[in-house]
Amino acid sequence: MTQPVKITVTGAAGNIAYSLLWRIAAGDVYGKDTPVDLALLEIPAAVGKAQGVAMELNDSALPLVNSITVTDDVREAFENTSAAFLVGARPRSKGMERADLLEANGAIFTTQGKAINDYAARDVRVLVVGNPANTNALIAANNAPDLDDSQFNALMRLDHNRTLSQLALKTGKSTTDFTKVAVWGNHSASQFPDITFSNAEVDQEWYREEMIPKVAKRGAEIIEVRGSSSAASAASAAVDHMHDWIHGTQDWRTAAVPSDGSYGVDKGLICGFPTICRDGKWEIVQGLELNEFQKERIEASVAELREEREAVADLL
């Protein structure tokens, strides 16, 4: 057994964390031989519920759990942490505009970015799950000047997994049969699930008219059917992302990472790209020749990311 690794989860009393924490505790992120010190961060009003989650984790007698800390203090939560899942965010309420949501979450991710900058391990990996994830990650990264922007990602693996799922359901194949799938842009309805370079053999009309909007609006569909937002699938995608960030990949994965200017995406915007992870770093797949349809879809989503950046300019 190796030394324990500290992992921080914010919004620890919420539904996503409730699925996420057991996966982390079971070794699905760092591996089955790495003990974990779990730090559960919540707002003061929800600390009691988070303590209940900690009680259940203890009752599960999971052998890799070395310690559990429940706190509303950002220093205690992030001090020496090696991986942070920023799940907690202000949800969008009825009648709330996207700009209002960005402003409400700005304060949360400004505070957390500063705390990560000041207290986390210097090689910390930060995955923002709370929406609007791309811009929340941008805010957090910009408030952590002592860390590299590449240490801050936003979750778009859920969109990637949804794309694979739709292809599997359509063709009767396994999700593991498909290669070179990616989702570009923002984790929003403007995203672009791209199978142009993949080995998927499907009708193009179905792909453009049915699959793309279905993947992009899957979250809303689940809310309508289930009565609440995606939780277990988001947690599973977060585990997938962090696992691959640590252990590496062979095939493409979708990761929302700071742009290096590739494919006309403004440098610094945290955007979904086709990526491969090597030696603990995401690399944007280079040299892809994009057709006009791809360019138009990518630009539309990047334009939305630019608008969000402008809305929070005072926090950057």
Side-chain angles (χ1 to χ4, degrees):
M1 298 283 274
T2 61
Q3 287 296 308
V5 173
K6 183 173 180 181
I7 302 176
T8 304
V9 176
T10 75
N15 288 332
I16 293 175
Y18 196 72
S19 292
L20 175 62
L21 284 161
W22 269 262
R23 294 285 303 278
I24 296 170
D28 291 349
V29 174
Y30 274 89
K32 304 295 184 181
D33 61 349
T34 303
V36 293
D37 292 320
L38 297 175
L40 280 56
L41 179 66
E42 259 298 356
I43 59 173
V47 164
K49 289 183 179 180
Q51 287 172 337
V53 174
M55 291 167 67
E56 283 204 77
L57 282 164
N58 281 324
D59 291 350
S60 299
L62 297 161
L64 292 178
V65 177
N66 184 63
S67 69
I68 305 172
T69 301
V70 179
T71 185
D72 61 4
D73 180 76
V74 290
R75 177 170 185 166
E76 185 176 19
F78 291 116
E79 194 158 33
N80 298 320
T81 198
S82 293
F85 293 85
L86 306 189
V87 179
R90 168 79 181 272
R92 189 170 183 172
S93 56
K94 188 174 182 179
M96 180 183 265
E97 297 296 329
R98 194 170 180 86
D100 298 329
L101 181 65
L102 286 163
E103 183 178 350
N105 279 304
I108 297 170
F109 290 90
T110 296
T111 299
Q112 292 181 0
K114 289 177 179 176
I116 290 166
N117 182 76
D118 293 345
Y119 307 122
R122 295 301 84 184
D123 61 351
V124 65
R125 294 175 171 91
V126 182
L127 177 60
V128 176
V129 178
N131 287 319
N134 298 59
T135 299
N136 287 341
L138 182 67
I139 293 167
N142 274 269
N143 282 279
D146 298 336
L147 300 175
D148 194 276
D149 285 355
S150 66
Q151 292 174 252
F152 290 81
N153 293 178
L155 183 67
M156 288 188 65
R157 184 61 172 271
L158 179 55
D159 308 303
H160 181 98
N161 289 349
R162 286 168 170 167
T163 301
L164 292 174
S165 171
Q166 290 302 312
L167 289 173
L169 290 169
K170 180 67 173 178
T171 62
K173 295 183 177 181
S174 168
T175 56
T176 59
D177 289 335
F178 302 102
T179 61
K180 295 186 177 180
V181 168
V183 183
W184 302 77
N186 198 5
H187 177 60
S188 73
S190 73
Q191 66 180 252
F192 172 43
D194 189 2
I195 63 171
T196 309
F197 303 103
S198 78
N199 59 348
E201 296 180 0
V202 295
D203 176 71
Q204 286 299 300
E205 183 178 355
W206 171 84
Y207 163 58
R208 295 192 182 196
E209 302 300 325
E210 294 187 41
M211 197 205 84
I212 289 177
K214 190 172 190 67
V215 171
K217 297 175 182 178
R218 184 68 162 181
E221 182 184 6
I222 288 171
I223 290 173
E224 183 177 346
V225 173
R226 183 172 177 260
S228 57
S229 59
S230 308
S233 57
S236 185
V239 167
D240 290 343
H241 180 112
M242 192 69 80
H243 174 276
D244 287 351
W245 198 355
I246 293 163
H247 299 284
T249 69
Q250 296 295 321
D251 188 26
W252 294 7
R253 300 288 189 269
T254 298
V257 299
S259 173
D260 59 3
S262 296
Y263 304 107
V265 180
D266 309 22
K267 189 173 181 179
L269 278 181
I270 294 184
C271 180
F273 287 100
T275 63
I276 293 173
C277 192
R278 295 189 181 95
D279 301 321
K281 295 184 182 296
W282 294 106
E283 301 173 7
I284 298 169
V285 176
Q286 297 295 324
L288 300 177
E289 293 188 14
L290 305 179
N291 59 40
E292 288 305 311
F293 176 71
Q294 290 171 293
K295 290 177 182 177
E296 288 174 7
R297 290 302 307 255
I298 293 167
E299 174 56 28
S301 198
V302 171
E304 185 180 61
L305 286 172
R306 293 189 192 111
E307 291 173 4
E308 291 185 8
R309 181 181 58 189
E310 288 302 309
V312 299
D314 58 319
L315 302 175
L316 305 178

